[in-house]
Amino acid sequence: MRPIVALLTDFGTRDHYVGAVKGAILAAEPEARLVDLVHEIPAHDVQAGAYALEAAYRAFPGGCVFLCVVDPGVGSSRRALALAAGGYFFVGPDNGIFTLVLSEHPQAVVHEITNAGLFRPDVSPTFHARDVFGPVAAQLARGMPLSEVGPAIGDPVVFPVARPRLVGERVWEAPVVHVDRFGNLITAFTAMDVTAILAEFGGDPTEVLVVVEGIIMPLARTYSDVAEGEACALPGSARRLEVAIHRGSASRVLGASRGAPVRLRRA
């Protein structure tokens, strides 16, 4: 199978940036299959990039290389990283974009990229995606050992990961961590968190209600379990609890955005 390099950036598609990165990858590995994971991450929003990566990477075949560049510190003293985790490779800046991958795979092997022999001959201080990360991703896709990029490190930058907390008797709270284009509110409650909370009530989802901005809603299996225009909470495809409006925008209707508190409590 031809090697796969998947690209996640905040570059958008109106400028030349994505195309130039793809060109640099193909120059180093012409057989690479390039997949656009997402290029519309909000500019400089490292946390949004981290959550998009977490939501998508498991859908790819093992051995895939993920080139992840949301890099407001490009050209500064921030390190460049390549890591192996969960059967995949990841390349990008050391600014927290790999936080959720690393939290899920504590045995990940992380190396700092220092081998300038892998870079393009003329490295721009403002375009490491093309001149550093792209060529390194291509070489890893070709089968280069991870150790060739530079020394192993044990202190990659990570941001605090939001976790549910108990705020009352059988009342749990966690924030919204992402709002998708449909207005769905993706929360810090993972599928495992919800399963554990349901176990407190004998596994019965009708015993649990969800509260967002004072609006109370049921746990559902899918959007159409409630009437059009009604709110519900359900296990989303990214293995996190999400809050939705059937055929509407939960963010707009509920007036909630990233950071808004979501509570699970007894019905």
Side-chain angles (χ1 to χ4, degrees):
M1 184 175 69
R2 290 166 55 196
I4 299 173
V5 179
L7 291 85
L8 179 155
T9 76
D10 61 348
F11 294 164
T13 55
R14 63 177 292 178
D15 297 305
H16 70 281
Y17 304 123
V18 172
V21 173
K22 290 181 176 181
I25 294 169
L26 293 172
E29 174 47 276
E31 293 300 311
R33 288 191 291 174
L34 304 182
V35 177
D36 295 300
L37 185 55
V38 60
H39 296 299
E40 302 298 335
I41 299 296
H44 317 307
D45 194 335
V46 174
Q47 290 194 26
Y51 282 107
L53 177 62
E54 182 210 31
Y57 79 90
R58 303 178 197 89
F60 285 77
C64 178
V65 180
F66 292 89
L67 175 57
C68 307
V69 184
V70 180
D71 194 13
V74 63
S76 70
S77 59
R78 69 96 182 93
R79 297 175 297 188
L81 300 184
L83 54 139
Y88 303 97
F89 296 98
F90 303 85
V91 177
D94 183 24
N95 61 8
I97 197 165
F98 302 122
T99 294
L100 299 177
V101 171
L102 291 168
S103 68
E104 184 172 352
H105 300 285
Q107 302 306 313
V109 179
V110 185
H111 286 251
E112 182 180 1
I113 299 172
T114 59
N115 182 358
L118 300 174
F119 307 165
R120 285 168 58 86
D122 185 15
V123 176
S124 166
T126 62
F127 203 179
H128 285 184
R130 178 193 64 193
D131 299 336
V132 176
F133 299 130
V136 169
Q139 293 297 335
L140 289 172
R142 293 186 67 174
M144 179 187 72
L146 182 63
S147 59
E148 292 295 315
V149 308
I153 65 167
D155 60 342
V157 171
V158 295
F159 56 75
V161 177
R163 299 291 303 146
R165 61 192 183 97
L166 198 62
V167 295
E169 185 177 356
R170 292 191 171 184
V171 180
W172 294 264
E173 182 178 283
V176 172
V177 296
H178 177 65
V179 180
D180 71 14
R181 71 176 299 272
F182 297 100
N184 298 324
L185 308 173
I186 317 302
T187 77
F189 286 106
T190 67
M192 291 180 63
D193 294 328
V194 175
T195 298
I197 291 170
L198 284 175
E200 296 275 332
F201 305 100
D204 185 355
T206 65
E207 289 293 315
V208 177
L209 293 175
V210 179
V211 184
V212 183
E213 301 294 347
I215 304 300
I216 299 171
M217 65 199 71
L219 279 176
R221 185 186 63 87
T222 190
Y223 309 107
S224 58
D225 284 352
V226 297
E228 187 170 332
E230 293 296 316
C232 65
L234 67 160
S237 62
R239 303 199 299 186
R240 290 179 178 273
L241 184 75
E242 66 179 64
V243 174
I245 300 288
H246 183 200
R247 298 199 177 186
S249 166
S251 178
R252 179 179 57 80
V253 172
L254 302 178
S257 58
R258 193 164 81 182
V262 177
R263 289 191 172 188
L264 271 64
R265 67 169 176 80
R266 186 172 195 139

